[in-house]
Amino acid sequence: MTETISIFIGVVVLLGSLLSLVTTIGLIRLPDVYTRSHAASKSATLGVLLILVAALLYFWLADNYFSARLVLGIVFVFITAPVAGHLISRAAYYTDVPLWEKSVKDDLKTKARHEPKKEIEKRQKVHTEA
Amino acid sequence: MAFQILINVVIAFSWMFLKNQWTFPDFIIGYFWGLVILFLMRKFLPGRFYFERVLAAGRLFFLFLRELVLANVQVIRDILRPKLKIEPGIFAMPTELKSDWEITLLSLLITLTPGTLVMDVSDDNKILYIHAMNIPDADQAIAEIKNTFEKAIMEVTR
């Protein structure tokens, strides 16, 4: 393993951890659930991805060991993180967590007014069938 | 599409039988010739030549990666700005995509693009409700991005 490669891998690891740090700052600084989940679903995904990619490259180039599990981990994080962000913010919305006061627009309101009732009915139906 | 891939694999196996050599490189060569044969016969097969779709999927993947990086640059900028300058809000976006699979892919892409997060999909699969970090400057740019995404997804699925 040459010097340039190890420096490159180090830079990727550092970038990943810095991104995770920024995510944490965002979680503290941003005003409401939804904007926080912006930070969490994007920066955290890329941060973890970069760290995993760096680990993959390191073991590949230094130990000549190609870890297929790391590749799978990368793919899984890539697919699941945004879905988790979506589900959390959706659940927050339907349990009446308010938006930040300075939010400009809320198109979902018209839908949310009658939606929860329907959802509850649907869920009860499933329960009685099961 | 699955049918064409199956034919291609069968051709690759026939190639291995003809050569009487059972190695992976022979499979690859046979697969390549199968691809050529399928390309020449594309008029007789149902649907589009499948390799076009594979290429479109590759393009979609790179689009995905690029957007992920851009999104992060923007999020970092929003978070580390000394004075918080965001105007969040939820807007509705009508979509032309029909099947569940396409819509899932589109909402994954939207969630990972700069400043947007999918909140909900309407019951008839026609409207996506999206939470945006910056409503004023995002509205138009987002509409453009959506068009490129929707087009890229349609390239793959139709």
Side-chain angles (χ1 to χ4, degrees):
Chain A
M1 194 163 83
T2 59
E3 200 64 13
T4 45
I5 290 173
S6 59
I7 289 173
F8 174 72
I9 291 174
V11 168
V12 175
V13 171
L14 278 179
L15 260 181
S17 25
L18 276 178
L19 261 175
S20 308
L21 179 68
V22 170
T23 310
T24 325
I25 296 173
L27 285 182
I28 297 167
R29 262 197 95 186
L30 290 171
D32 69 350
V33 185
Y34 310 103
T35 44
R36 280 177 185 165
S37 86
H38 269 275
S41 67
K42 290 183 192 98
S43 318
T45 318
L46 193 65
V48 174
L49 269 183
L50 284 178
I51 292 173
L52 286 178
V53 166
L56 179 75
L57 284 177
Y58 178 79
F59 286 114
W60 194 6
L61 299 170
D63 295 354
N64 221 358
Y65 169 72
F66 185 81
S67 171
R69 277 179 210 148
L70 278 174
V71 176
L72 274 186
I74 290 167
V75 173
F76 284 157
V77 169
F78 205 24
I79 295 173
T80 52
V83 178
H86 159 69
L87 280 178
I88 291 169
S89 55
R90 186 175 188 275
Y93 197 91
Y94 285 124
T95 43
D96 297 329
V97 177
L99 293 159
W100 191 34
E101 316 87 68
K102 286 183 196 155
S103 301
V104 254
K105 216 171 166 189
D106 189 0
D107 284 348
L108 189 50
K109 211 185 238 160
T110 47
K111 190 199 173 203
R113 214 174 286 139
H114 45 267
E115 178 83 349
K117 226 185 272 167
K118 224 195 284 171
E119 291 244 313
I120 292 164
E121 276 166 19
K122 216 191 282 171
R123 233 172 285 147
Q124 280 170 342
K125 219 176 175 183
V126 173
H127 270 294
T128 47
E129 276 166 10
Chain B
M1 178 174 169
F3 180 63
Q4 292 187 19
I5 293 176
L6 188 64
I7 291 181
N8 205 339
V9 170
V10 170
I11 292 175
F13 270 102
S14 329
W15 175 265
M16 284 157 81
F17 269 91
L18 282 172
K19 299 273 280 184
N20 206 10
Q21 274 168 348
W22 310 96
T23 59
F24 190 64
D26 278 292
F27 180 81
I28 298 286
I29 294 167
Y31 200 87
F32 170 74
W33 288 122
L35 217 55
V36 171
I37 292 170
L38 279 178
F39 180 70
L40 293 176
M41 291 177 63
R42 65 191 180 282
K43 277 200 177 148
F44 308 105
L45 294 163
R48 281 161 59 207
F49 177 52
Y50 85 91
F51 206 68
E52 274 175 29
R53 288 188 185 185
V54 176
L55 290 179
R59 267 202 296 280
L60 190 63
F61 179 70
F62 282 109
L63 196 68
F64 209 171
L65 282 186
R66 205 191 69 198
E67 291 301 328
L68 184 62
V69 173
L70 287 179
N72 275 283
V73 171
Q74 189 165 3
V75 166
I76 291 170
R77 214 187 291 146
D78 279 339
I79 290 172
L80 296 183
R81 195 175 278 152
K83 244 180 133 191
L84 220 50
K85 197 191 128 212
I86 53 172
E87 281 182 51
I90 299 172
F91 67 94
M93 187 198 89
T95 176
E96 293 162 37
L97 298 175
K98 297 262 154 47
S99 69
D100 287 353
W101 170 239
E102 291 169 327
I103 288 179
T104 311
L105 203 57
L106 183 65
S107 21
L108 262 178
L109 280 169
I110 291 172
T111 300
L112 288 177
T113 47
T116 48
L117 187 85
V118 175
M119 296 278 292
D120 202 359
V121 183
S122 69
D123 295 331
D124 52 0
N125 276 358
K126 280 196 182 125
I127 300 170
L128 294 176
Y129 296 94
I130 299 167
H131 185 272
M133 252 330 198
N134 283 304
I135 287 277
D137 66 73
D139 253 357
Q140 199 180 348
I142 284 166
E144 278 167 31
I145 292 170
K146 296 295 133 56
N147 283 335
T148 61
F149 279 156
E150 271 191 355
K151 275 209 191 94
I153 292 175
M154 279 190 208
E155 283 283 302
V156 178
T157 53
R158 288 171 201 170

